[in-house]
Amino acid sequence: MGQLQRIRPTPGAHVPREDRAPEDRRRHRARRAVALAVVALLIPVGWSYANALTAPGSAPLAARTVEWIKDHGGRGLVLWAERLWYSRHQPPVGGTPAGGLPYAAPTPASSPVGKVAAKVPPHLDPPADVAPIASNPLPHEGAWQTVGRTADGLPAIRVAFLRPDPVHTSLVAGVAWMDTRLLRGALVAGTQVPGGTLWQQQWGAEVPRALRNRLVATFNSGFLLQDSHGGYFANGRTYAPLEGGAASVVVYRDGTVTVGRWGQDVTMSPMVAAVRQNLHLIVDHGRPVPGLATDSLQQWGATLGNAVMVWRSGLGVTRDGALLYAGGPGLSVESLASVLARAGAVRAMELDINTDWVSFNYYTTAPASSWGVGAHELLPTMVRSADRYLVPDERDFFAMFLRPRFAKAG
C-alpha cells in the first residue's frame, strides 16, 4: 500500500480544532495570549484616560486630552506638535484691533461694598497710565479704568489695555492693577495641581460661596510643577521643594502678596502662608532681564520656550506693593516683560501660557446671579469662562478678596 498523505485544506477553509496541526494550535494560543495581554494593558490606560476626561474641572476635552498625553509619556510629542503649529500660525503683522480697544464701562455693581467709612482707609496711590508701546496710540490706550468692587468707595482694582509690541499692532494685552492694602490674596490648589489630596483640604479647588461676597479677582497660577523649575508650599506643607533663585509668588498670613527671587527678595518665615514658583524673573529692578530673546529650555523650562508668540500671562509687583497681572495673545516672554515693566513692575515673573490656561476674572455684586457674584473676563478673547474659578478647577490659582473690614463674609 502506498504511504498515506495528510490532506491540507484549501486556503480559507474551516479546519476542525482536532484536525489542526500542533504548530497551528501553538500559534493560535500565542496570538490569543498576546491579544489578552494587550487588552489587559489597555484597561488601565482606558481607565486613566476616562478619569482624566471626567475629573472635576472646566477644562475642555482637547485640553484634558493633551494634558493626559503629556503625563503618559507623550510630553515630547506634544511640545513638538505645539511648536510646529505655532511656528506656522504666528500673529499677523500690522493692523489694528478689531473693534478697537476693550472698554470696561462702569456699572452700578462697581459701587462700594458696605457702609461708606467716615475715615479713608489706608490705600495705595492711583497708578500712572501705562505708556503705549506701539506708535500712533489708540484712544484710551494704556489708560486705567476702575472696574469691579470697591472698598469704602476706593478702587481696589483697575484695568488697562495696550498693544504689546510695535509690530503686531492688531493684538491687545490686558493689565490689571490690584491694591494690596485693600485686598488680601490666597493660593487655591486645584484638583490636579499640585496634585494628591492637598486640594481637598482647601476650599475644594474653587472660591467657596461663603467668600464670594468680597471676591474681587481671580487669576491663573504657573506651569505644571514638572515644567516650572520650582516648588510649591501651602497649608504648612511642601508639595514640591522650593528652589533657590526661582521666581516666586509669596502669600503672607496677613494676605499680602508679592513677587520676587527666592532666597534674595523673598525667603521663608513663619509669616509665609504659600509660595508658588515658576521659572525665573522676567523683570527685575524695573527692567526686563537680559536674555529674554534667547529661547533657552534650561532657563524657561521644557515648554514652548520664550520666543514663540502665544497666549501668555505674568504677575509683577510695583515699588509701592501693588500687584500687576498682564495677559494676552501673541506674546513672547520679552513682550510680556515689556508690558509689565511699562505698567510699573519692579519685579515680575511669567505665569501659565496657552489659550486654555490664561485667565483673569474680576467680580461685581450681582444678587440675582446663581453664582452669588457677577463675573467678568479681563479680555473678551479669553477662552475660559468668567466663572472658571467658581467651580472646581484642575489648576491652582490665586484669588483676591476685599479685606474683612470692608465686607462681612457670609
Side-chain angles (χ1 to χ4, degrees):
M1 296 180 62
Q3 188 176 7
L4 293 176
Q5 295 183 352
R6 181 181 179 85
I7 301 175
R8 295 187 176 276
T10 57
H14 174 71
V15 181
R17 182 178 301 273
E18 61 273 12
D19 291 338
R20 291 178 181 170
E23 61 270 19
D24 292 337
R25 292 196 295 271
R26 286 195 296 270
R27 192 177 300 112
H28 175 73
R29 287 195 296 267
R31 285 197 298 265
R32 184 170 59 182
V34 170
L36 291 174
V38 169
V39 170
L41 289 173
L42 289 178
I43 288 175
V45 172
W47 182 266
S48 171
Y49 181 55
N51 283 341
L53 296 185
T54 58
S58 59
L61 174 64
R64 289 173 183 252
T65 299
V66 169
E67 294 299 293
W68 183 85
I69 293 173
K70 288 171 67 176
D71 289 339
H72 290 79
R75 180 174 300 275
L77 176 62
V78 169
L79 296 178
W80 172 82
E82 287 182 335
R83 279 178 173 264
L84 179 63
W85 193 92
Y86 282 119
S87 68
R88 297 182 177 181
H89 296 81
Q90 288 296 281
V93 173
T96 57
L101 295 175
Y103 179 69
T107 65
S110 296
S111 58
V113 174
K115 297 180 179 179
V116 176
K119 183 180 179 181
V120 177
H123 63 284
L124 299 178
D125 291 334
D129 286 346
V130 185
I133 297 173
S135 58
N136 301 318
L138 300 173
H140 310 295
E141 186 162 6
W144 292 109
Q145 307 171 40
T146 299
V147 298
R149 285 171 160 158
T150 61
D152 287 346
L154 294 171
I157 177 174
R158 305 170 193 259
V159 299
F161 306 99
L162 69 159
R163 292 168 293 173
D165 69 61
V167 177
H168 307 90
T169 50
S170 66
L171 304 180
V172 177
V175 186
W177 174 94
M178 293 165 276
D179 189 333
T180 51
R181 290 194 179 184
L182 302 177
L183 302 175
R184 62 177 298 135
L187 174 61
V188 183
T191 60
Q192 298 178 25
V193 180
T197 59
L198 182 60
W199 68 273
Q200 298 174 350
Q201 303 171 15
Q202 186 188 29
W203 301 357
E206 65 180 45
V207 177
R209 187 171 290 270
L211 297 180
R212 293 178 190 175
N213 70 323
R214 55 190 179 91
L215 178 64
V216 172
T218 53
F219 53 92
N220 61 276
S221 182
F223 291 177
L224 295 172
L225 291 180
Q226 58 264 40
D227 295 328
S228 71
H229 288 191
Y232 190 111
F233 171 84
N235 297 333
R237 292 179 51 183
T238 299
Y239 186 84
L242 300 176
E243 299 289 340
S248 308
V249 184
V250 180
V251 182
Y252 293 95
R253 295 190 182 279
D254 67 354
T256 302
V257 184
T258 192
V259 174
R261 181 183 290 106
W262 191 252
Q264 179 175 320
D265 307 306
V266 287
T267 57
M268 182 57 73
S269 77
M271 295 303 297
V272 171
V275 181
R276 179 56 152 99
Q277 297 185 321
N278 200 59
L279 308 179
H280 301 271
L281 290 181
I282 61 174
V283 174
D284 200 11
H285 301 292
R287 297 181 178 181
V289 301
L292 293 181
T294 303
D295 194 18
S296 168
L297 294 181
Q298 178 64 30
Q299 181 81 357
W300 303 112
T303 62
L304 291 176
N306 59 329
V308 179
M309 305 186 78
V310 297
W311 271 88
R312 295 183 188 268
S313 61
L315 187 69
V317 62
T318 65
R319 195 172 303 280
D320 61 0
L323 281 183
L324 290 169
Y325 175 99
L331 292 171
S332 65
V333 174
E334 190 172 21
S335 58
L336 175 64
S338 179
V339 169
L340 285 162
R342 287 287 185 113
V346 292
R347 296 185 300 276
M349 59 189 284
E350 186 176 38
L351 296 178
D352 216 344
I353 65 174
N354 280 329
T355 54
D356 289 314
W357 309 118
V358 176
S359 295
F360 184 102
N361 305 313
Y362 63 88
Y363 302 90
T364 55
T365 301
S369 170
S370 60
W371 299 110
V373 67
H376 313 268
E377 298 159 336
L378 174 61
L379 287 171
T381 50
M382 285 181 165
V383 172
R384 302 295 288 273
S385 170
D387 57 27
R388 175 181 177 183
Y389 299 122
L390 303 180
V391 296
D393 196 76
E394 299 84 359
R395 302 287 188 94
D396 58 313
F397 65 93
F398 293 95
M400 302 296 294
F401 302 90
L402 291 172
R403 290 187 178 271
R405 63 179 177 269
F406 299 117
K408 293 181 180 180

